[in-house]
Amino acid sequence: MHLTPRRRRRLVAALAAALSAVILSAVAGCGSTEPRDPLADARDGHLTIGVKFDQPGLGLREPDKEMTGFDIEVAEYIAQYLGVPPDGITWKEAPSPQRETLIKNGEVDFIVATYSISESRLRAVDFAGPYYIAGQSLLVRKDETDITGPDSLENGKKLCSVAGSTSAQNVKEMYPGVQLQQFDSYSSCVEALSRGKVDALTTDDIILAGYAAQYPGEFKLAGEAFTTERYGVGLAKGEDAARDAINDAIEDMIDTGAWRAALEKTMGKSGFPLPDPPQVNRY
């Protein structure tokens, strides 16, 4: 078929418009996100689980990319309980400020990342558990003698925590006179503490014990725990069947002794006193 120059221009314009519409539709489709169905993904043989990458003893990506820590052990047990072997897990880094977003956007099936259950978070996501109960404490340099608890920080000491964490919020509410500096990760706080940029780091005692064990002779925990933090498995609102199945997995892990074995394997050498397992509350 012979096309005149005018018809050729019209055809090219029409094709360009159609192609543009297809591209815009695809982009819009990529931007529309919704939470995942963990049980459906488990039936397909895979799960994407959000964890920390920088917390020794809890959730740490080793130099060879192997994932280690108590949270990893819990996540793998849950996955196995749901029928997914370790090689069917995709690990997704879940920094504290991004956890709710990762769940709501469907980037993870669930999160096992020292994720404290709180009333405000329960309005945004659901939780299974708790699978561990911790307490907020302080990490200081080994030669520090002035800091003995959060009250001793109100004399000009600089305290580091992570933006979006329960620990940072607790300090704001309970100790408003403390000079709080919020970083993007606890490993950044540890580096700042080592270099003398801050005087103390605050988060949960088991997390701090992991850092102290990673850098023997450099840091120590100071004072007693001053909060109670219930670690839960975070997942999307409305996934009741998945939440119940994860609760069943946590209870099974505790009842079979696998919970205690995992905690001793990951935190036993830290010298941190290992607690008894929690009661699963089924939120």
Side-chain angles (χ1 to χ4, degrees), residues 56-84:
L58 290 163
L60 182 68
R61 186 168 71 170
E62 303 285 355
D64 61 1
K65 297 187 178 180
E66 179 188 3
M67 299 301 300
T68 62
F70 182 63
D71 280 355
I72 306 303
E73 298 282 330
V74 172
E76 288 184 342
Y77 195 96
I78 293 170
Q80 289 271 22
Y81 192 89
L82 299 180
V84 178

Side-chain angles (χ1 to χ4, degrees), residues 6-82:
R6 178 179 292 180
R7 287 181 176 177
R8 187 179 296 111
R9 288 194 296 271
R10 288 178 178 174
L11 179 60
V12 169
L15 290 173
L19 179 60
S20 177
V22 170
I23 293 173
L24 288 174
S25 176
V27 170
C30 291
S32 61
T33 56
E34 60 182 20
R36 295 191 183 207
D37 180 345
L39 295 186
D41 285 347
R43 287 192 292 271
D44 289 339
H46 62 82
L47 287 167
T48 300
I49 304 177
V51 295
K52 293 294 180 65
F53 277 20
D54 65 342
Q55 291 182 350
L58 290 163
L60 182 68
R61 186 168 71 170
E62 303 285 355
D64 61 1
K65 297 187 178 180
E66 179 188 3
M67 299 301 300
T68 62
F70 182 63
D71 280 355
I72 306 303
E73 298 282 330
V74 172
E76 288 184 342
Y77 195 96
I78 293 170
Q80 289 271 22
Y81 192 89
L82 299 180

Side-chain angles (χ1 to χ4, degrees), residues 14 24 34 38 41 58 71 116 147 150 189 195 208 230 257 283:
L24 288 174
E34 60 182 20
D41 285 347
L58 290 163
D71 280 355
S116 295
I147 298 174
C189 282
R195 294 184 176 183
L208 299 178
R230 299 162 296 160
Y283 294 90

